[in-house]
Amino acid sequence: MIDYYRVDADLPPRVQQLRDRVRAVVDAEVLPVINDYWDRAEFPFALVPRLAELGVAGYTARGPGCPELSPLEAGIVIRELARGDGSITTFMGVQSGLAMGTIALLGDDEQRTRWLPSMAALDTVGAFALTEPGHGSDSVRLETTARRDGEHWVLDGAKRWIGNAGFADVVVVWARDADDGRVGAFVVESDPQHGFPPGYSTELITGKIGKRAVWQPDVVLDGVRVPAANRLPGARSFHDASRVLATTRGGAAWESLGHAMAAFEIALEYTAGREQFGRPIAGFQLVQSTLAGMLAEVVTMQLWCVRMAELQERGEWTGPMASLAKLHHARRARQVCLDARDLLGGNGLLIENHVARHLTDMEVVHTYEGTDHIQSLIVGRDLTGLSAFS
């Protein structure tokens, strides 16, 4: 691993040990098989038990059974997963940051006790249903409705790009109260014998160019009945959804760093061994200039991520800060992966060399959690006090 500014060398020993544990599993278990899953667009169910053994599901979520990692520890875990594969990173991010994070932040004590321990063990898989077919960047306008009917809520609507939703055990669904228009979160549970309640259905989205080994289906909610006890009491407006997203956007920055690190290291090794015109291409000026530029981006992202963790630990992290980090890291990591693919030439097109997978996975990261255009408007509003959103 290239640690040019000794960022990793200065990590606390416990964080280095966690990094090494995750990296060992990624190198030994994920990398040898992930290309086959990715190529077939199949979810790697066989890897879930090994991920569970790491004991990191839930990341920074506070609650029964959760590992309660520090922001730095969680970031390093995300980075190391992404150095291996983006689909695995998304699966764990949905489980830990979105589904478990929402329940931990917005649920009551009974709900945390009911769901979090089994989710932390990955015995229970979670999903987070916010995005809709007609509402991505403007998800604040969500149209899925929740109507109270005695001791139940009845959900109607549609969701799109919902990771894990096809095989999840619990799905956090965001919906608008049909009576007062307020946004809330409802946990739809799958019964071990009968599956999800009537009216809940999914259809897998196919043909993706990136993150092909994670399943992100469309979800239809047609009169789905949810017990009143499954409404999360802390979710009272879209602002509460934004609180969850501000945390996961920081995770997207760490993920971007992981993809960039992997692409850079692959390119460095490849150019040292690839000979053209009688010598290694690493000795050519243009190649060295490209490698130096890639390294500069990786080091910048490393330093930024560590600073982000410090601010989160001190409680000084804000939504606009998260937007700026996501905007910057997604842009720069995308370019680093593109530079790596270019340095590998035709071989960069082959997934066996991993760079093509990191590059197309970064296309997904660049889009989800809000595109760079949306993030820039969030930052612009914070800077100027003027909203560019209509």
Side-chain angles (χ1 to χ4, degrees), residues 75-100:
I76 291 295
V77 169
I78 295 167
R79 187 194 78 182
E80 290 303 311
L81 291 174
R83 286 181 73 252
D85 177 65
S87 296
I88 294 293
T89 310
T90 292
F91 166 73
M92 288 293 286
V94 170
Q95 176 79 2
S96 302
L98 292 174
M100 294 180 68

Side-chain angles (χ1 to χ4, degrees), residues 128 272 382:
F128 178 91
D382 190 55

Side-chain angles (χ1 to χ4, degrees), residues 182-231:
R182 298 177 68 179
V183 172
F186 306 80
V187 179
V188 180
E189 290 185 273
S190 173
D191 181 270
Q193 291 185 328
H194 305 100
F196 280 104
Y200 179 96
S201 61
T202 65
E203 181 175 351
L204 185 62
I205 297 172
T206 60
K208 297 188 300 179
I209 67 165
K211 301 239 180 183
R212 290 171 53 80
V214 66
W215 288 348
Q216 297 165 297
D218 287 316
V219 177
V220 173
L221 303 153
D222 184 9
V224 176
R225 298 182 67 83
V226 179
N230 284 24
R231 177 168 186 170

Side-chain angles (χ1 to χ4, degrees), residues 8 15-23 76 79-80:
D8 269 46
V15 181
Q16 293 189 31
Q17 293 168 6
L18 178 61
R19 175 201 63 198
D20 293 345
R21 269 199 306 122
V22 177
R23 183 173 298 183
I76 291 295
R79 187 194 78 182
E80 290 303 311

